[in-house]
Amino acid sequence: MNYQWYPGHMTKAKRMMEENIKLIDLVIELVDARVPMSSRNPEIDQLGRNKSRIILLNKADLADPKWNEAWAEFFKDQGILVQEINSKTGAGIKSIQQLVQSACREKLERDRRRGIINRPVRAMVVGIPNVGKSTFINALAGKACTKTGNKPGVTKGKQWIRLNKNLELLDTPGILWPKFEDQKVGQRLAMIGSINDEILHVDELATAVIDFLQREYPQLLDKRYQLRGNEDAYKTLEEICVVRKCFLKGEQPDVLRASGMVIEDFRSGRIGRITLEHPEEWQ
C-alpha cells in the first residue's frame, strides 16, 4: 500500500503559516510521542528557522516510557526544549508557561533593555493533523482563553488566543507534506491515525501493526488477544477473528472487522504503551 495524503487545504495552511511566521517569537511544535520524528513536518523546521523552539511529546501516555525519555534527550541534544504532555488529561500542561519563558529568555531580556515591558510572547502552535493541537490549546488556555481578533493576519482558519499578559498563541491548521520520501513514515502516520482512514486498506494496515508488535512487543500482543504466538501477521489477524468471534456468514473470518478492532486497540493504548520508532534511526 502506498501511503500518501495531501488535501488541497494543506497548501493553503502552509501558505498562511509562511505569511504569519514573521509575527511570532516562538514555535511550539506538537509531535506524537509514539512517532516523534515521523510526526514532525520537515517544512516546519524551515518555517521556524531563527525562532525559539519547543517540542511537546503529546500522547506520551500512549508511548513506551523508556523511549519517551530517550526522545526527550535526543531533542535536548539539538538545543530544543522538550516536555512530555497528555493534552487530554492535562499532564505536563502546568509546566508549559515556564518552558515558554525559558525558551524566550533572550528575547525577553532584549525587550527589557529596550524598555519594552509587558509585551507578550507570541507563539505559533504547529503540528500535523490529529496530533492534538486543539486539545492542547484548550488545556493550556482553560477558562481564561479569549480570542484577540485585532491582530495582523487574522483570517478564517486561524486565530490569536490571548492566554494571559505573558503569552499569545496563534493556532494553525495541521499540515502534512506533499510526498513521503520514506514509506515507513507514511505507514507510521497511518497507524496512529494522521492519514484519512478512508483512503487506506484497513486489513493491510492492521497486518502492518501486528507485524510490528510481533517483532517489538510480542508479549503485549499475545496478552491482549490470548494468542498462541503465530509468526505470520495475517494468520495472526485471522486468529484474532476466531478469538474475538469476528465472523461472516458461513463462519468465514471477518478480517475487516477484526482489522478495525486491532487498529483502534493500538491507537487507544488498549494493547499497551508502544513506541514505533527510536532515535538511532534518525542519527
Side-chain angles (χ1 to χ4, degrees), residues 35 38-40 128 176-177 180 184-195 267 276:
V35 286
S38 291
S39 60
R40 292 191 75 204
I128 66 172
L176 286 170
W177 43 109
F180 302 130
K184 283 193 298 186
V185 170
Q187 184 182 75
R188 289 166 180 169
L189 292 177
M191 287 180 178
I192 66 170
S194 289
I195 296 177
R267 290 175 180 172
L276 291 170

Side-chain angles (χ1 to χ4, degrees), residues 202-204 206-207 237 254-264:
V202 66
D203 55 334
E204 290 185 28
T207 302
L237 182 58
D254 190 343
V255 173
L256 294 183
R257 181 180 161 201
S259 295
M261 180 179 61
V262 169
I263 292 168
E264 179 56 29

Side-chain angles (χ1 to χ4, degrees), residues 130-145:
N130 201 35
V131 79
K133 292 193 309 302
S134 295
T135 306
F136 161 70
I137 290 172
N138 290 337
L140 184 61
K143 294 181 180 179
C145 174

Side-chain angles (χ1 to χ4, degrees), residues 26-46:
L26 169 69
V27 175
I28 299 176
E29 181 179 3
L30 270 73
V31 301
D32 190 301
R34 295 167 294 180
V35 286
M37 286 298 287
S38 291
S39 60
R40 292 191 75 204
N41 188 327
E43 294 180 345
I44 289 173
D45 270 341
Q46 179 67 13

